[in-house]
Amino acid sequence: MLKDITLGQFFPGESYIHRLDPRTKIILTVFYIIITFSAKSIFSFAALFLSVVMIIGISKISFKTIIRGIRPVLYIMIFTMILNIFLTNGEDLLFHWKFIKIYKEGIITALLVLVRIIVLITGTSVFITYTTSPIQLTDGIERLFSPLKRIGVPVHDLAMMMSLALRFIPTLIEETDRIMNAQKARGADFSTGSLASRVRALIPIIIPLFVSAYRRAEELAVAMECRCYRGGEGRTRMKILTYGLNDFFAIFIFLLFLAAIILINIYAPGFKL
Amino acid sequence: MDTIIELKNITYVYGSGTPFQMTALDDVSVKIKAGFITGLIGHTGSGKSTLVQMLNGLLRPHAGQVLLHNKDIWENPKEISSIRFKVGLVMQYPEYQLFDETVGKDIAFGPKNMKLSDEEIARRVEEAASFVGIDKALLDKSPFDLSGGQKRRVAIAGIIAMRPDVLVLDEPAAGLDPRGRKEILGRVRQYQRDTGAAVIIVSHSMEDMAKYCDEIIVMNRARIFAQGSCAEIFARAEELVAVGLDVPQIAYIAQALRRGGCELEGDIYTVEGALSALVSLFEKKGIPRKTANNA
Ligand SMILES: Nc1ncnc2c1ncn2[C@@H]1O[C@H](COP(=O)(O)OP(=O)(O)O)[C@@H](O)[C@H]1O
Ligand SMILES: [Mg+2]
């Protein structure tokens, strides 16, 4: 079923990471991406891998969920691994057959790149999607970017649009599921036949979907106006974001981690990417 | 009576392995009789919609079997769409599935997927439209120009046009005014009486069930709570109330009258039934007809 896609799936919880301020989590995500790309030596990759395991542990998200999140990029991972294995030149020749040469360096590079991709995807999704509700996330983004209001960027409106869009993704997916089921009940077939006939088979889904999306949008607009929504000007919030000790602590740890990775790169290069 | 569909030990779990895991059907076994209107009743979230989606193979059970005419519908998963023509399911709020340019074309969608000839399709569209009381003149209109009740009847016609052996309607009267409810349910009953097909109606209105169904299945928390004729079911009023359901108000009144010493005969769960019981009581006691009618 469509609903089984974990894209943008939030798992409510009470872990340390769940309780961090969304702004902190956005900042940590940016840090984490920088750290992932600054890791060069084989030791820093080991540290990186350890850190992601710890993050998953602290967030209390099940490994099954994490694996399910990685699965969609499996092919990209395999593809980059193959490219790295066959195209990296080095000194330690392991295998040679006609024009195919595999070096030890190639295999290590492939493994390190694999770690990098896994860490990148898992780390960002733990911070952003699994432990932060879409509402918190847009709140965080709005606050984080609010200085841009001074130069005329409509930060509030963009954040509102984003949160509405996020809010309606599950609804629309559910609706699509329902309409597909209704048409299947009338014998519609979406999975066999030529490409042209499959595209034509989508019409009975897309038209009702558009009709209902417009209806929902209109109803929502009316409901918002009924509650006197006039944009961000003078709007107060029910939940005011505040930084706590936890947040500073998390950012401090990440700064240390970044410094450690850079030091490892310099003083314990081992194998370098 | 012959059994037309049988569910055997069906279990279905939504979102298995996620924090949102939800067992919607828990070891459900039930037999649906042919040539009857069966009412499926239960409060919201009791698993009614999940159960009816089992019947035509929209959902595949995680455990158990669905037998149609004593044959497992999942014996050959590639043939599952042929099951959908035999078990016609009208989903909840079916008016949102309409898509074609004209009402007639929309009703023809199912028969077209059955690869019938054009004449046969035209015949079935006309027949289905008349069953649900959609005027011939409306067939050339856009379905988006119709009223809510009309749209819903068009959607039901879209299923009837496939001439299924079993017609299943998921909350066909939800969100309609009393007149719309009566119109739709009355038409469905007329359809059943005319064609002899088995019909299953999902609802949570006891009044409607008492009036239109021959047999009632009560669901509670992913399980079958009770099955039987209207009289058998409504005799268990206290149990129904305990699981958050109601009995028809007239059944309460009859009960109260009996407690007050009024000797009403038979099982009373519809207004008509109550009236005839009262009339016969008055006749027995020798109260003149005119007074009885005034009462
Ligand atoms: N697509 C779905 N995904 C997850 N849970 C669902 C889905 N559909 C129904 N459920 C859950 O399964 C239970 C039974 O639902 P349903 O069969 O629709 O009940 P009913 O039709 O009696 O109201 C409910 O608790 C509902 O929340
Ligand atoms: Mg339902």
Side-chain angles (χ1 to χ4, degrees), chain A residues 13-31:
Chain A
E14 276 296 315
S15 76
Y16 177 78
I17 299 185
H18 279 93
R19 279 179 285 126
L20 288 176
D21 187 291
R23 285 170 292 182
T24 312
K25 287 192 256 192
I26 296 169
I27 294 169
L28 292 186
T29 306
V30 175
F31 266 153

Side-chain angles (χ1 to χ4, degrees), chain A residues 1 3, chain B residues 14 22 24 43-51 92 170:
Chain A
M1 251 206 298
K3 270 182 93 173
Chain B
Y14 285 108
M22 176 81 217
H43 61 83
T44 310
S46 57
K48 307 182 296 289
S49 298
T50 311
L51 191 144
Q92 217 161 339
D170 195 350

Side-chain angles (χ1 to χ4, degrees), chain A residues 180 184 187-202, chain B residues 77-82 84-85 113 115:
Chain A
M180 272 174 90
K184 272 194 218 158
D189 180 6
F190 308 116
S191 49
T192 59
S194 65
L195 185 66
S197 76
R198 277 196 224 185
V199 171
R200 219 170 314 117
L202 290 181
Chain B
K78 292 217 176 84
E79 297 290 303
I80 197 69
S81 63
S82 72
R84 305 205 174 120
F85 300 132
N113 288 328
K115 314 248 178 330

Side-chain angles (χ1 to χ4, degrees), chain A residues 54 67 81 117 119 155 158 223 227 239 242:
Chain A
M54 276 171 60
I67 302 288
M81 271 184 79
I117 297 177
V119 166
V155 177
L158 291 176
R227 289 186 250 171
K239 287 208 175 105
T242 46

Side-chain angles (χ1 to χ4, degrees), chain A residues 8 26 32 46-47 62 64 67 77 81 87 97 119 124 129 136 138 163 168 188 210 213 223 229 258 268:
Chain A
I26 296 169
Y32 209 61
S62 75
K64 226 163 119 192
I67 302 288
M77 290 184 343
M81 271 184 79
L87 298 180
W97 182 72
V119 166
T124 49
T129 48
Q136 281 181 323
T138 43
S163 67
F168 277 100
F210 265 85
Y229 177 77
L258 180 59

Side-chain angles (χ1 to χ4, degrees), chain A residues 88-144:
Chain A
T88 311
N89 284 322
E91 287 149 12
D92 214 343
L93 191 61
L94 289 180
F95 177 84
H96 190 177
W97 182 72
K98 292 192 180 157
F99 59 93
I100 298 176
K101 287 178 187 156
I102 296 180
Y103 295 93
K104 190 174 157 202
E105 286 83 352
I107 292 183
I108 297 178
T109 312
L111 284 178
L112 294 188
V113 170
L114 183 70
V115 170
R116 181 177 278 173
I117 297 177
I118 291 178
V119 166
L120 208 58
I121 291 174
T122 315
T124 49
S125 37
V126 167
F127 283 125
I128 299 289
T129 48
Y130 295 151
T131 65
T132 319
S133 75
I135 308 258
Q136 281 181 323
L137 188 67
T138 43
D139 254 16
I141 290 176
E142 184 177 348
R143 288 294 298 278
L144 214 52

